[in-house]
Amino acid sequence: STTVKNQNMNNRVIARNEKVMELAEKYNLQTLDLFAVSTSNGDIQSDDGVHFKADGYYLFCDAIIEKCREMLC
């Protein structure tokens, strides 16, 4: 999951993401860390603190396309 501005909710997102990564590693599954994308690209969140501005969604699309390319090659 991606970051949210509410710190309590964000801590839950981080914990959930850690569990997902553990399971993915255990079962040798591919993952894409959209949390990292959402936290390393400046002000891409909308005012509601949960959703993203158009630029954010374009960044996610680029990351997804890149991951697909990696997996297919």
Side-chain angles (χ1 to χ4, degrees):
S1 293
T2 58
T3 188
V4 293
K5 288 185 179 179
N6 177 292
Q7 192 57 48
N8 289 331
M9 288 177 60
N10 204 51
N11 290 338
R12 290 176 50 202
V13 168
I14 291 168
R16 183 175 54 233
N17 286 350
E18 288 172 354
K19 293 293 183 186
V20 168
M21 295 303 285
E22 289 173 16
L23 288 170
E25 187 174 322
K26 179 178 179 179
Y27 294 104
N28 197 31
L29 301 171
Q30 295 286 324
T31 60
L32 173 57
D33 188 358
L34 291 178
F35 188 89
V37 174
S38 68
T39 58
S40 64
N41 284 289
D43 185 28
I44 61 171
Q45 254 181 328
S46 67
D47 292 336
D48 71 5
V50 176
H51 298 96
F52 294 86
K53 299 174 185 174
D55 289 348
Y57 289 112
Y58 287 120
L59 287 169
F60 295 150
C61 288
D62 290 343
I64 292 166
I65 290 167
E66 182 60 31
K67 184 65 172 187
C68 289
R69 285 185 178 138
E70 288 175 16
M71 292 172 60
L72 294 173
C73 295

